[in-house]
Amino acid sequence: MLSTMNDGPLSIARIMRQGTGPHGATAEVVTWTGAESRRSGYAEIGREAARLAHALRGLGVTGDQRVGTFMWNNAEHLTAYLAVPSMGAVLHTLNIRLFPEQLVYVANHAEDHVVLVDHTLLPLFAKLLPEMKTVRHAVVVGGDASALEAPAGVEVHGYADLLAGQPEEFDWPELDERSAAAMCYTSGTTANPKGVVYSHRSIYLHSMQVCMTDGMALEQGDRGLAVVPMFHAMSWGLPYGAFMVGASLIMPDRFLQPEPLVAMMTAERPTMAAAVPTIWQGVLAELAKEPHDISSLREVVIGGSACPPTMMRTFQEDYGITVVHAWGMTETSPLGSLARPPAGVTGEDEWPYRVSQGRLPASVEARLVDDDGRILQWDGLSIGELEVRGPWVAEAYYGDDDPEKFHDGWLRTGDVGYLTPEGFLHLTDRAKDVIKSGGEWISSVELENQVMAHPAVAEAMVIGVPDEKWSERPLVAVVLREGETADAAGLREFLSGSVARWQLPEYWTFITEAPKTSVGKFDKKRLRKQHSEGDLDVIHLT
Ligand code: AMP
């Protein structure tokens, strides 16, 4: 028997209507401009979204074409978040921090038709555009569009000119809730980034979790500070959550350094915020240098990498702000788990729960699997790889079979840990060999290959090691060729031609033999153990 309930689609347009209608006059998006803010009410953002949708139709976006964004967190990016999926097209948030080759790869792989680009990012984007084979239109947001030279077959437009005079209403189509709304590539695994395609339905359901008390607890009247980039797992769901319940959004644009962030917080009084630990570390250091009033913050959600317990304590004890530790992945929309203590647990007793990765909501089923594929107990002891599935968890990558990652509908997270009988997740390790520095991935394989390109190097292994500022940084273990010499500073200098500056390793060690597994692969577990037991002579370049 089927239900008697209406089957209206769960869609971004529905979220948009709620934000621009009932909350249109009270909620606003604030974009920081360096010293002050520009602001737009949600009703105005709704009109802007209609103008953008008409403009994009004019550029030939009529079906599920991909519209890329190469943008910071700001009002225009938010407008694209609403307009692009609601008109039936697919929003592709390009991660401006990927390697140039990876950016070209993802734009070509997704077949982006239009790209919206912040004018401050033009120097970087101009080098990529000629290689983006399917892009027909580049829309420059802010600044002077004529600063971007159009390669053959591409038209360049100014955002303001393109939207000027467009109608303020749009006949948003009724879409299948399972159709693609947005896509985001993750570079966390192997060579090529993998595309995760979110549906209207998955985003809608995820947004409800963002707003649940046991989720990110975003509610009307909140002022949510979205430091987490809009190109990183949909800014952890804040923009859509905020539109759903009428919370305002505070966007830092490109001013992500501790000093302007603190200035913005003092001026704009956020009530909650979300960012990776590295950002908060900078903010706390800035506050220690010069006190500012951040007492408007009720909670900050920290995730993307393990949040150091000392950071959580500092927030609580020095500022009276609760940290909610969260775990998630691009593939999980990204909310996986949130660390809120069980009801009735208070005071010191809360801490074992709060420092864990937290509990998974009803929509994210989890299991732990050992190396032989056996399902493990949630006994607080058995350690295995975490697998998850659910209505906002991916079960495939876009156009890229990866049976290693997905099986029987389950996502192999690559994260290793245990679950307690009460359902709290504790991550202890990572099965994959990548490094997360300040919330951004560094591929160890990529670095190894670059180091091994040096004529004096026989083998190079790279692992992530704890770092106070960046959570993790790469450590390179080098085996030199017989009779050859090289030092750490010289090798780093050699890398600087091929590796992005922020990825250049500062930790180096020279070893006589690389530990290997039975099948001859680098045994990183053993190298990690040697490092953690202090058996390696580590050189720290400053
Ligand atoms: P991404 O898809 O770039 O968001 O990266 C997802 C990965 O980040 C996860 O698979 C974890 O390895 C790591 N991660 C995210 N949140 C946490 C956390 N709270 N603690 C430890 N690792 C985390």
Side-chain angles (χ1 to χ4, degrees):
M1 177 169 109
L2 286 177
S3 81
T4 61
M5 308 313 286
N6 177 274
D7 209 19
L10 308 178
S11 65
I12 309 287
R14 198 184 279 272
I15 294 175
M16 177 167 60
R17 276 196 294 272
Q18 186 71 4
T20 57
H23 303 295
T26 45
E28 63 174 357
V29 55
V30 175
T31 306
W32 191 245
T33 59
E36 49 187 15
S37 306
R38 56 191 173 95
R39 44 191 84 237
S40 317
Y42 280 5
E44 172 54 20
I45 292 290
R47 293 190 285 272
E48 185 84 349
R51 285 192 283 263
L52 177 59
H54 282 288
L56 290 171
R57 280 269 188 271
L59 302 183
V61 178
T62 50
D64 61 0
Q65 279 100 342
R66 266 65 73 200
V67 176
T69 51
F70 199 74
M71 298 176 75
W72 302 108
N73 287 16
N74 52 34
E76 291 75 17
H77 207 165
L78 178 67
T79 305
Y81 257 53
L82 298 167
V84 174
S86 298
M87 68 187 288
V90 182
L91 177 81
H92 176 196
T93 54
L94 288 150
N95 179 347
I96 61 172
R97 301 213 177 105
L98 289 182
F99 273 115
E101 313 85 74
Q102 290 179 319
L103 275 164
V104 166
Y105 171 85
V106 302
N108 288 338
H109 191 261
E111 298 176 88
D112 292 344
H113 181 71
V114 180
V115 179
L116 306 181
V117 52
D118 270 336
H119 70 107
T120 55
L121 295 168
L122 284 182
L124 176 57
F125 185 71
K127 293 190 202 124
L128 311 173
L129 184 58
E131 307 295 321
M132 295 179 164
K133 300 296 176 212
T134 60
V135 174
R136 295 287 160 266
H137 302 274
V139 181
V140 180
V141 182
D144 176 11
S146 68
L148 179 63
E149 201 180 313
V154 179
E155 285 175 31
V156 173
H157 315 265
Y159 179 85
D161 292 345
L162 199 64
L163 269 63
Q166 299 286 0
E168 292 185 346
E169 283 184 8
F170 190 88
D171 190 12
W172 305 106
E174 176 117 333
L175 301 165
D176 183 335
E177 65 178 24
R178 291 163 304 173
S179 59
M183 64 196 304
C184 184
Y185 280 74
T186 172
S187 59
T189 49
T190 43
N192 285 328
K194 313 279 184 186
V196 175
V197 184
Y198 308 111
S199 64
H200 284 263
R201 172 186 153 87
S202 73
I203 288 175
Y204 193 97
L205 295 171
H206 182 266
S207 303
M208 294 179 74
Q209 186 65 32
V210 167
C211 305
M212 275 173 78
T213 312
D214 279 342
M216 278 160 75
L218 189 68
E219 60 183 16
Q220 64 162 319
D222 257 336
R223 293 174 69 74
L225 169 59
V227 186
V228 54
M230 293 171 86
F231 55 72
H232 183 197
M234 310 306 287
S235 199
W236 296 357
L238 269 187
Y240 292 128
F243 254 73
M244 188 173 250
V245 292
S248 292
L249 284 165
I250 302 172
M251 303 287 202
D253 201 79
R254 62 185 186 282
F255 304 98
L256 295 168
Q257 307 74 20
E259 220 184 302
L261 277 181
V262 168
M264 182 183 61
M265 282 195 262
T266 313
E268 289 299 337
R269 316 284 300 153
T271 55
M272 66 82 69
V276 295
T278 305
I279 295 276
W280 295 118
Q281 183 144 32
V283 166
L284 289 176
E286 181 65 25
L287 291 171
K289 260 197 323 206
E290 206 189 322
H292 281 82
D293 179 13
I294 57 159
S295 61
S296 58
L297 281 169
R298 176 183 77 242
E299 279 189 352
V300 297
V301 178
I302 304 187
S305 290
C307 179
T310 48
M311 180 182 286
M312 301 177 68
R313 289 267 187 184
T314 306
F315 264 112
Q316 191 71 62
E317 288 159 13
D318 296 358
Y319 299 99
I321 297 167
T322 301
V323 168
V324 181
H325 190 202
W327 166 87
M329 306 170 69
T330 305
E331 291 88 336
T332 64
S333 288
L335 280 191
S337 58
L338 287 119
R340 294 186 184 278
V345 175
T346 55
E348 261 318 286
D349 295 343
E350 287 187 357
W351 285 100
Y353 297 101
R354 288 174 58 179
V355 300
S356 78
Q357 271 72 19
R359 269 175 168 159
L360 298 117
S363 297
V364 185
E365 271 178 86
R367 66 183 190 185
L368 288 175
V369 183
D370 74 6
D371 286 349
D372 300 320
R374 279 188 301 252
I375 312 287
L376 303 174
Q377 297 291 313
W378 294 21
D379 55 11
L381 298 168
S382 308
I383 292 185
E385 182 175 357
L386 176 71
E387 298 192 351
V388 292
R389 70 175 179 192
W392 64 71
V393 179
E395 61 177 12
Y397 289 126
Y398 175 62
D400 189 338
D401 270 350
D402 194 343
E404 280 292 299
K405 196 76 188 166
F406 301 99
H407 62 138
D408 318 325
W410 290 89
L411 163 71
R412 288 195 169 119
T413 64
D415 291 320
V416 172
Y418 60 89
L419 279 151
T420 67
E422 292 166 293
F424 280 82
L425 172 68
H426 293 253
L427 293 182
T428 54
D429 213 341
R430 205 154 58 219
K432 51 199 180 188
D433 289 332
V434 285
I435 298 148
K436 207 161 191 196
S437 168
E440 296 295 330
W441 292 113
I442 296 178
S443 161
S444 57
V445 178
E446 187 85 28
L447 272 184
E448 285 163 5
N449 291 340
Q450 303 291 351
V451 181
M452 286 191 282
H454 189 284
V457 175
E459 286 183 309
M461 282 172 81
V462 173
I463 55 168
V465 296
D467 179 272
E468 230 173 62
K469 175 151 187 223
W470 301 103
S471 297
E472 251 187 354
R473 290 293 296 162
L475 163 77
V476 191
V478 180
V479 183
L480 290 176
R481 288 182 195 283
E482 250 186 75
E484 294 282 354
T485 51
D487 64 5
L491 289 174
R492 186 162 74 163
E493 171 66 19
F494 171 76
L495 289 186
S496 62
S498 52
V499 171
R501 244 170 77 96
W502 66 274
Q503 299 202 352
L504 286 175
E506 53 271 62
Y507 297 111
W508 296 78
T509 186
F510 289 83
I511 52 178
T512 48
E513 201 185 327
K516 307 255 173 70
T517 66
S518 58
V519 287
K521 292 191 192 181
F522 285 153
D523 190 348
K524 299 207 177 172
K525 254 197 198 136
R526 244 165 64 213
L527 188 67
R528 276 191 204 107
K529 192 154 175 279
Q530 289 170 359
H531 177 261
S532 66
E533 291 176 355
D535 292 344
L536 299 175
D537 265 336
V538 177
I539 299 157
H540 185 188
L541 300 176
T542 47

